[in-house]
Amino acid sequence: QVQPVESGGGVVRSGGSLRLSCRATAGVFNIVDMGWYRQAPGKQREFVASITPNLLTTYAASVKGRVTISRDGTNIHLQMNLLEPRDTAVYYCKAEVHGRGGGDYWGQGTQVTVSS
């Protein structure tokens, strides 16, 4: 089983920075794209950023220029700068598996709280 595990959340003041990390153990599974999503209270989960095995990145318009996603094998990171209260959410890591056991695997999430 692929079980992404997130870390690095916390409480930060507006304008501050946080770095989230996600570790996914591939084992016999072929993990391809990985990404970050977030869910604020009372809202649907939304896309934040993703990265392919070839390190091609995609960002949501709401975070572009303020966050950077990076990858080392099946570990990914999200460097978040200039955080705003609207960035407050639970951040989830997703690992996409192709082939055997194919599908999307989600972590448990890590809370990010930005105070004004």
Side-chain angles (χ1 to χ4, degrees):
Q1 275 283 356
V2 176
Q3 180 56 62
V5 178
E6 303 98 337
S7 61
V11 180
V12 64
R13 294 188 117 171
S14 183
S17 299
L18 277 176
R19 179 178 170 88
L20 306 183
S21 295
C22 173
R23 176 172 53 86
T25 302
V28 299
F29 299 98
N30 180 26
I31 296 176
V32 288
D33 293 2
M34 296 184 71
W36 291 95
Y37 290 71
R38 67 186 183 186
Q39 187 166 18
K43 295 188 176 181
Q44 290 190 329
R45 191 172 297 188
E46 65 176 8
F47 169 78
V48 177
S50 65
I51 188 165
T52 71
N54 294 329
L55 306 184
L56 295 177
T57 59
T58 304
Y59 296 96
S62 59
V63 302
K64 200 167 188 176
R66 299 188 297 120
V67 308
T68 302
I69 189 170
S70 59
R71 179 170 181 164
D72 176 16
T74 56
N75 300 319
I76 62 171
H77 309 280
L78 189 71
Q79 177 66 44
M80 303 188 293
N81 301 319
L82 299 175
L83 284 163
E84 304 168 4
R86 63 187 175 102
D87 296 313
T88 295
V90 178
Y91 284 70
Y92 296 91
C93 173
K94 186 184 84 169
E96 182 180 334
V97 172
H98 285 184
R100 174 181 177 178
D104 293 337
Y105 292 80
W106 294 87
Q108 295 296 310
T110 185
Q111 176 71 46
V112 171
T113 301
V114 184
S115 62
S116 56

Short mmCIF file of all heavy atoms in Angstrom, two decimals, residues 4-61:
data_model
loop_
_atom_site.label_atom_id
_atom_site.label_comp_id
_atom_site.label_asym_id
_atom_site.label_seq_id
_atom_site.Cartn_x
_atom_site.Cartn_y
_atom_site.Cartn_z
N PRO A 4 0.90 8.08 1.77
CA PRO A 4 1.62 9.34 1.95
C PRO A 4 1.50 9.85 3.38
O PRO A 4 0.42 9.73 4.00
CB PRO A 4 0.92 10.29 0.98
CG PRO A 4 0.22 9.41 0.00
CD PRO A 4 -0.17 8.21 0.78
N VAL A 5 2.57 10.41 3.90
CA VAL A 5 2.58 10.97 5.25
C VAL A 5 3.08 12.41 5.18
O VAL A 5 4.21 12.65 4.74
CB VAL A 5 3.47 10.14 6.19
CG1 VAL A 5 3.50 10.78 7.58
CG2 VAL A 5 2.97 8.70 6.27
N GLU A 6 2.22 13.33 5.60
CA GLU A 6 2.57 14.75 5.56
C GLU A 6 3.18 15.19 6.89
O GLU A 6 2.91 14.62 7.95
CB GLU A 6 1.34 15.62 5.29
CG GLU A 6 0.59 15.31 4.02
CD GLU A 6 -0.62 14.42 4.26
OE1 GLU A 6 -0.64 13.71 5.29
OE2 GLU A 6 -1.54 14.43 3.43
N SER A 7 3.96 16.26 6.81
CA SER A 7 4.52 16.89 8.01
C SER A 7 4.80 18.36 7.70
O SER A 7 4.83 18.75 6.53
CB SER A 7 5.79 16.19 8.46
OG SER A 7 6.78 16.27 7.46
N GLY A 8 4.98 19.15 8.75
CA GLY A 8 5.40 20.53 8.56
C GLY A 8 4.35 21.59 8.75
O GLY A 8 4.64 22.78 8.66
N GLY A 9 3.12 21.19 9.03
CA GLY A 9 2.08 22.19 9.25
C GLY A 9 2.31 22.92 10.57
O GLY A 9 3.17 22.57 11.37
N GLY A 10 1.50 23.95 10.79
CA GLY A 10 1.61 24.69 12.03
C GLY A 10 0.88 26.01 11.96
O GLY A 10 0.08 26.24 11.05
N VAL A 11 1.18 26.87 12.92
CA VAL A 11 0.56 28.19 13.00
C VAL A 11 1.61 29.23 12.66
O VAL A 11 2.73 29.20 13.17
CB VAL A 11 0.00 28.46 14.41
CG1 VAL A 11 -0.64 29.85 14.46
CG2 VAL A 11 -1.01 27.38 14.79
N VAL A 12 1.26 30.15 11.78
CA VAL A 12 2.19 31.19 11.36
C VAL A 12 1.42 32.49 11.19
O VAL A 12 0.22 32.47 10.90
CB VAL A 12 2.89 30.77 10.05
CG1 VAL A 12 1.90 30.64 8.90
CG2 VAL A 12 4.03 31.70 9.70
N ARG A 13 2.12 33.58 11.34
CA ARG A 13 1.46 34.88 11.15
C ARG A 13 1.40 35.24 9.68
O ARG A 13 2.19 34.76 8.85
CB ARG A 13 2.22 35.95 11.90
CG ARG A 13 2.17 35.78 13.41
CD ARG A 13 2.76 36.97 14.10
NE ARG A 13 1.75 37.64 14.91
CZ ARG A 13 2.00 38.62 15.76
NH1 ARG A 13 3.21 39.09 15.87
NH2 ARG A 13 1.04 39.17 16.46
N SER A 14 0.48 36.10 9.36
CA SER A 14 0.34 36.57 7.99
C SER A 14 1.67 37.13 7.49
O SER A 14 2.35 37.88 8.20
CB SER A 14 -0.74 37.66 7.94
OG SER A 14 -0.95 38.09 6.63
N GLY A 15 2.06 36.72 6.28
CA GLY A 15 3.33 37.12 5.72
C GLY A 15 4.46 36.15 5.99
O GLY A 15 5.56 36.28 5.43
N GLY A 16 4.21 35.17 6.83
CA GLY A 16 5.23 34.19 7.19
C GLY A 16 5.35 33.06 6.18
O GLY A 16 4.69 33.06 5.12
N SER A 17 6.18 32.09 6.53
CA SER A 17 6.47 30.97 5.64
C SER A 17 6.34 29.64 6.38
O SER A 17 6.53 29.58 7.60
CB SER A 17 7.89 31.09 5.08
OG SER A 17 8.07 32.26 4.33
N LEU A 18 6.05 28.61 5.61
CA LEU A 18 6.04 27.23 6.12
C LEU A 18 6.51 26.32 5.00
O LEU A 18 6.31 26.63 3.81
CB LEU A 18 4.63 26.80 6.54
CG LEU A 18 4.12 27.18 7.93
CD1 LEU A 18 2.68 26.73 8.08
CD2 LEU A 18 4.99 26.60 9.02
N ARG A 19 7.09 25.22 5.39
CA ARG A 19 7.50 24.19 4.42
C ARG A 19 6.84 22.88 4.80
O ARG A 19 7.09 22.35 5.89
CB ARG A 19 9.02 24.05 4.41
CG ARG A 19 9.56 22.99 3.46
CD ARG A 19 11.08 23.00 3.51
NE ARG A 19 11.69 21.88 2.83
CZ ARG A 19 11.99 21.85 1.54
NH1 ARG A 19 11.71 22.89 0.77
NH2 ARG A 19 12.57 20.79 1.01
N LEU A 20 6.02 22.37 3.90
CA LEU A 20 5.37 21.09 4.11
C LEU A 20 6.15 20.00 3.39
O LEU A 20 6.75 20.23 2.34
CB LEU A 20 3.94 21.12 3.57
CG LEU A 20 3.02 22.24 4.08
CD1 LEU A 20 1.62 22.06 3.49
CD2 LEU A 20 2.98 22.25 5.58
N SER A 21 6.13 18.82 3.97
CA SER A 21 6.78 17.67 3.35
C SER A 21 5.82 16.50 3.29
O SER A 21 4.93 16.38 4.13
CB SER A 21 8.03 17.28 4.12
OG SER A 21 9.00 18.31 4.07
N CYS A 22 6.02 15.65 2.32
CA CYS A 22 5.22 14.44 2.17
C CYS A 22 6.15 13.30 1.78
O CYS A 22 6.91 13.42 0.81
CB CYS A 22 4.14 14.63 1.13
SG CYS A 22 3.22 13.12 0.72
N ARG A 23 6.06 12.25 2.50
CA ARG A 23 6.86 11.06 2.20
C ARG A 23 5.92 9.94 1.79
O ARG A 23 4.99 9.61 2.50
CB ARG A 23 7.66 10.65 3.42
CG ARG A 23 8.46 9.39 3.26
CD ARG A 23 9.37 9.21 4.48
NE ARG A 23 8.64 9.28 5.73
CZ ARG A 23 8.02 8.25 6.30
NH1 ARG A 23 8.02 7.08 5.71
NH2 ARG A 23 7.39 8.40 7.45
N ALA A 24 6.17 9.35 0.61
CA ALA A 24 5.36 8.22 0.13
C ALA A 24 6.29 7.07 -0.19
O ALA A 24 7.23 7.22 -0.98
CB ALA A 24 4.56 8.63 -1.10
N THR A 25 6.03 5.94 0.41
CA THR A 25 6.84 4.75 0.16
C THR A 25 6.24 3.99 -1.01
O THR A 25 5.11 3.53 -0.93
CB THR A 25 6.89 3.86 1.41
OG1 THR A 25 7.41 4.63 2.49
CG2 THR A 25 7.78 2.66 1.16
N ALA A 26 7.02 3.89 -2.09
CA ALA A 26 6.49 3.29 -3.31
C ALA A 26 6.44 1.76 -3.23
O ALA A 26 5.47 1.15 -3.67
CB ALA A 26 7.31 3.74 -4.51
N GLY A 27 7.48 1.16 -2.71
CA GLY A 27 7.52 -0.30 -2.70
C GLY A 27 7.45 -0.82 -4.13
O GLY A 27 8.23 -0.43 -4.98
N VAL A 28 6.47 -1.69 -4.42
CA VAL A 28 6.32 -2.25 -5.76
C VAL A 28 5.43 -1.40 -6.64
O VAL A 28 5.19 -1.74 -7.79
CB VAL A 28 5.77 -3.70 -5.70
CG1 VAL A 28 6.70 -4.61 -4.93
CG2 VAL A 28 4.37 -3.70 -5.09
N PHE A 29 4.94 -0.29 -6.11
CA PHE A 29 4.00 0.53 -6.85
C PHE A 29 4.70 1.62 -7.64
O PHE A 29 5.74 2.14 -7.25
CB PHE A 29 2.99 1.17 -5.89
CG PHE A 29 2.18 0.16 -5.13
CD1 PHE A 29 2.52 -0.20 -3.84
CD2 PHE A 29 1.09 -0.46 -5.73
CE1 PHE A 29 1.79 -1.15 -3.16
CE2 PHE A 29 0.34 -1.40 -5.05
CZ PHE A 29 0.70 -1.74 -3.76
N ASN A 30 4.09 1.97 -8.77
CA ASN A 30 4.64 2.98 -9.65
C ASN A 30 3.96 4.33 -9.37
O ASN A 30 2.88 4.62 -9.90
CB ASN A 30 4.41 2.57 -11.11
CG ASN A 30 4.96 3.59 -12.08
OD1 ASN A 30 5.90 4.33 -11.76
ND2 ASN A 30 4.39 3.65 -13.27
N ILE A 31 4.59 5.15 -8.53
CA ILE A 31 4.04 6.47 -8.22
C ILE A 31 4.45 7.43 -9.31
O ILE A 31 5.63 7.59 -9.60
CB ILE A 31 4.54 6.98 -6.85
CG1 ILE A 31 4.03 6.07 -5.73
CG2 ILE A 31 4.09 8.41 -6.62
CD1 ILE A 31 4.56 6.43 -4.36
N VAL A 32 3.48 8.07 -9.93
CA VAL A 32 3.78 9.04 -10.98
C VAL A 32 3.59 10.45 -10.42
O VAL A 32 4.35 10.90 -9.57
CB VAL A 32 2.96 8.77 -12.25
CG1 VAL A 32 3.52 7.51 -12.95
CG2 VAL A 32 1.49 8.56 -11.96
N ASP A 33 2.54 11.14 -10.83
CA ASP A 33 2.36 12.50 -10.35
C ASP A 33 2.08 12.53 -8.85
O ASP A 33 1.42 11.63 -8.31
CB ASP A 33 1.20 13.18 -11.08
CG ASP A 33 1.52 13.39 -12.54
OD1 ASP A 33 2.62 12.97 -12.99
OD2 ASP A 33 0.67 13.96 -13.25
N MET A 34 2.56 13.59 -8.20
CA MET A 34 2.25 13.82 -6.80
C MET A 34 1.84 15.28 -6.65
O MET A 34 2.22 16.13 -7.47
CB MET A 34 3.46 13.52 -5.91
CG MET A 34 3.88 12.06 -5.95
SD MET A 34 5.24 11.68 -4.82
CE MET A 34 4.40 11.82 -3.21
N GLY A 35 1.06 15.55 -5.62
CA GLY A 35 0.60 16.92 -5.49
C GLY A 35 0.06 17.25 -4.13
O GLY A 35 -0.02 16.39 -3.24
N TRP A 36 -0.26 18.53 -3.97
CA TRP A 36 -0.84 19.05 -2.74
C TRP A 36 -2.23 19.61 -3.02
O TRP A 36 -2.44 20.30 -4.03
CB TRP A 36 0.05 20.15 -2.16
CG TRP A 36 1.35 19.67 -1.63
CD1 TRP A 36 2.55 19.64 -2.29
CD2 TRP A 36 1.59 19.14 -0.33
NE1 TRP A 36 3.52 19.13 -1.48
CE2 TRP A 36 2.96 18.80 -0.27
CE3 TRP A 36 0.79 18.92 0.80
CZ2 TRP A 36 3.55 18.26 0.87
CZ3 TRP A 36 1.37 18.37 1.92
CH2 TRP A 36 2.74 18.05 1.96
N TYR A 37 -3.12 19.32 -2.11
CA TYR A 37 -4.47 19.87 -2.13
C TYR A 37 -4.74 20.44 -0.75
O TYR A 37 -4.03 20.12 0.21
CB TYR A 37 -5.49 18.78 -2.46
CG TYR A 37 -5.41 18.29 -3.88
CD1 TYR A 37 -4.33 17.53 -4.33
CD2 TYR A 37 -6.42 18.60 -4.80
CE1 TYR A 37 -4.25 17.09 -5.65
CE2 TYR A 37 -6.35 18.16 -6.12
CZ TYR A 37 -5.27 17.41 -6.52
OH TYR A 37 -5.20 16.99 -7.82
N ARG A 38 -5.77 21.27 -0.64
CA ARG A 38 -6.11 21.82 0.66
C ARG A 38 -7.63 21.93 0.80
O ARG A 38 -8.35 22.05 -0.19
CB ARG A 38 -5.46 23.18 0.89
CG ARG A 38 -5.96 24.29 -0.02
CD ARG A 38 -5.14 25.55 0.18
NE ARG A 38 -5.63 26.67 -0.63
CZ ARG A 38 -5.02 27.85 -0.72
NH1 ARG A 38 -3.90 28.07 -0.04
NH2 ARG A 38 -5.54 28.80 -1.47
N GLN A 39 -8.06 21.89 2.05
CA GLN A 39 -9.49 22.01 2.33
C GLN A 39 -9.68 22.91 3.52
O GLN A 39 -9.24 22.59 4.64
CB GLN A 39 -10.12 20.64 2.58
CG GLN A 39 -11.63 20.68 2.71
CD GLN A 39 -12.26 19.31 2.63
OE1 GLN A 39 -11.59 18.30 2.80
NE2 GLN A 39 -13.55 19.27 2.37
N ALA A 40 -10.33 24.04 3.28
CA ALA A 40 -10.64 24.97 4.35
C ALA A 40 -11.98 24.59 4.96
O ALA A 40 -12.80 23.92 4.31
CB ALA A 40 -10.69 26.39 3.80
N PRO A 41 -12.24 25.01 6.19
CA PRO A 41 -13.52 24.68 6.84
C PRO A 41 -14.71 25.13 6.00
O PRO A 41 -14.77 26.26 5.54
CB PRO A 41 -13.45 25.45 8.16
CG PRO A 41 -12.00 25.60 8.43
CD PRO A 41 -11.36 25.77 7.08
N GLY A 42 -15.64 24.21 5.79
CA GLY A 42 -16.85 24.53 5.04
C GLY A 42 -16.67 24.62 3.55
O GLY A 42 -17.61 24.98 2.83
N LYS A 43 -15.49 24.29 3.05
CA LYS A 43 -15.23 24.38 1.61
C LYS A 43 -14.79 23.03 1.06
O LYS A 43 -14.40 22.13 1.80
CB LYS A 43 -14.15 25.43 1.33
CG LYS A 43 -14.58 26.85 1.68
CD LYS A 43 -13.56 27.85 1.20
CE LYS A 43 -14.02 29.28 1.46
NZ LYS A 43 -13.04 30.28 0.97
N GLN A 44 -14.86 22.92 -0.26
CA GLN A 44 -14.42 21.69 -0.92
C GLN A 44 -12.90 21.65 -1.00
O GLN A 44 -12.22 22.69 -0.98
CB GLN A 44 -15.02 21.61 -2.33
CG GLN A 44 -16.52 21.36 -2.34
CD GLN A 44 -17.03 21.04 -3.73
OE1 GLN A 44 -16.49 21.52 -4.72
NE2 GLN A 44 -18.05 20.22 -3.81
N ARG A 45 -12.37 20.45 -1.11
CA ARG A 45 -10.93 20.30 -1.29
C ARG A 45 -10.54 20.89 -2.63
O ARG A 45 -11.22 20.67 -3.64
CB ARG A 45 -10.56 18.82 -1.21
CG ARG A 45 -9.07 18.56 -1.13
CD ARG A 45 -8.77 17.09 -0.87
NE ARG A 45 -9.32 16.64 0.41
CZ ARG A 45 -9.06 15.44 0.93
NH1 ARG A 45 -8.27 14.60 0.29
NH2 ARG A 45 -9.59 15.09 2.09
N GLU A 46 -9.43 21.63 -2.65
CA GLU A 46 -9.00 22.26 -3.89
C GLU A 46 -7.53 21.98 -4.18
O GLU A 46 -6.72 21.76 -3.27
CB GLU A 46 -9.22 23.79 -3.83
CG GLU A 46 -8.40 24.51 -2.79
CD GLU A 46 -8.58 26.02 -2.83
OE1 GLU A 46 -9.46 26.52 -3.55
OE2 GLU A 46 -7.82 26.71 -2.12
N PHE A 47 -7.22 22.02 -5.46
CA PHE A 47 -5.86 21.79 -5.92
C PHE A 47 -4.95 22.96 -5.54
O PHE A 47 -5.36 24.11 -5.61
CB PHE A 47 -5.89 21.63 -7.44
CG PHE A 47 -4.55 21.63 -8.11
CD1 PHE A 47 -3.76 20.50 -8.08
CD2 PHE A 47 -4.09 22.75 -8.76
CE1 PHE A 47 -2.52 20.49 -8.69
CE2 PHE A 47 -2.86 22.77 -9.38
CZ PHE A 47 -2.08 21.62 -9.35
N VAL A 48 -3.72 22.62 -5.15
CA VAL A 48 -2.72 23.66 -4.84
C VAL A 48 -1.57 23.60 -5.83
O VAL A 48 -1.26 24.58 -6.50
CB VAL A 48 -2.19 23.50 -3.40
CG1 VAL A 48 -1.09 24.54 -3.13
CG2 VAL A 48 -3.31 23.63 -2.39
N ALA A 49 -0.94 22.43 -5.93
CA ALA A 49 0.22 22.30 -6.81
C ALA A 49 0.48 20.82 -7.08
O ALA A 49 0.11 19.97 -6.26
CB ALA A 49 1.46 22.94 -6.19
N SER A 50 1.12 20.54 -8.21
CA SER A 50 1.48 19.17 -8.52
C SER A 50 2.83 19.13 -9.23
O SER A 50 3.31 20.15 -9.75
CB SER A 50 0.41 18.50 -9.40
OG SER A 50 0.35 19.14 -10.67
N ILE A 51 3.42 17.93 -9.25
CA ILE A 51 4.73 17.76 -9.86
C ILE A 51 4.82 16.36 -10.44
O ILE A 51 4.38 15.39 -9.83
CB ILE A 51 5.86 18.04 -8.83
CG1 ILE A 51 7.23 18.04 -9.51
CG2 ILE A 51 5.80 17.08 -7.65
CD1 ILE A 51 8.33 18.66 -8.64
N THR A 52 5.36 16.27 -11.66
CA THR A 52 5.50 14.99 -12.33
C THR A 52 6.84 14.35 -11.99
O THR A 52 7.71 15.00 -11.39
CB THR A 52 5.41 15.18 -13.85
OG1 THR A 52 6.61 15.84 -14.30
CG2 THR A 52 4.19 16.01 -14.25
N PRO A 53 7.03 13.09 -12.38
CA PRO A 53 8.34 12.47 -12.16
C PRO A 53 9.48 13.21 -12.87
O PRO A 53 10.64 13.13 -12.44
CB PRO A 53 8.15 11.06 -12.73
CG PRO A 53 6.69 10.80 -12.58
CD PRO A 53 6.04 12.12 -12.85
N ASN A 54 9.14 13.91 -13.95
CA ASN A 54 10.14 14.71 -14.68
C ASN A 54 10.24 16.13 -14.15
O ASN A 54 10.86 16.99 -14.80
CB ASN A 54 9.78 14.75 -16.17
CG ASN A 54 9.90 13.38 -16.81
OD1 ASN A 54 10.72 12.56 -16.39
ND2 ASN A 54 9.09 13.13 -17.82
N LEU A 55 9.62 16.38 -13.00
CA LEU A 55 9.72 17.65 -12.28
C LEU A 55 9.01 18.80 -12.98
O LEU A 55 9.35 19.97 -12.78
CB LEU A 55 11.19 18.02 -12.00
CG LEU A 55 12.01 16.95 -11.28
CD1 LEU A 55 13.41 17.46 -10.98
CD2 LEU A 55 11.33 16.46 -10.02
N LEU A 56 8.01 18.48 -13.79
CA LEU A 56 7.17 19.52 -14.35
C LEU A 56 6.14 19.91 -13.30
O LEU A 56 5.51 19.03 -12.69
CB LEU A 56 6.48 19.02 -15.62
CG LEU A 56 7.41 18.70 -16.78
CD1 LEU A 56 6.61 18.14 -17.96
CD2 LEU A 56 8.20 19.93 -17.22
N THR A 57 5.96 21.19 -13.09
CA THR A 57 5.09 21.66 -12.01
C THR A 57 3.88 22.41 -12.54
O THR A 57 3.92 23.03 -13.62
CB THR A 57 5.87 22.58 -11.07
OG1 THR A 57 6.39 23.70 -11.80
CG2 THR A 57 7.01 21.85 -10.40
N THR A 58 2.81 22.35 -11.77
CA THR A 58 1.59 23.09 -12.05
C THR A 58 1.11 23.70 -10.74
O THR A 58 1.19 23.05 -9.69
CB THR A 58 0.49 22.18 -12.61
OG1 THR A 58 0.99 21.51 -13.78
CG2 THR A 58 -0.75 22.97 -12.99
N TYR A 59 0.62 24.94 -10.81
CA TYR A 59 0.17 25.64 -9.60
C TYR A 59 -1.23 26.20 -9.81
O TYR A 59 -1.60 26.62 -10.90
CB TYR A 59 1.11 26.80 -9.27
CG TYR A 59 2.50 26.38 -8.91
CD1 TYR A 59 3.52 26.37 -9.87
CD2 TYR A 59 2.82 25.98 -7.62
CE1 TYR A 59 4.81 25.97 -9.54
CE2 TYR A 59 4.10 25.59 -7.28
CZ TYR A 59 5.09 25.58 -8.24
OH TYR A 59 6.36 25.18 -7.91
N ALA A 60 -1.98 26.26 -8.72
CA ALA A 60 -3.26 26.96 -8.74
C ALA A 60 -2.97 28.46 -8.82
O ALA A 60 -1.97 28.95 -8.29
CB ALA A 60 -4.05 26.65 -7.48
N ALA A 61 -3.87 29.17 -9.47
CA ALA A 61 -3.69 30.61 -9.64
C ALA A 61 -3.61 31.33 -8.29
O ALA A 61 -2.90 32.32 -8.14
CB ALA A 61 -4.83 31.18 -10.48
#
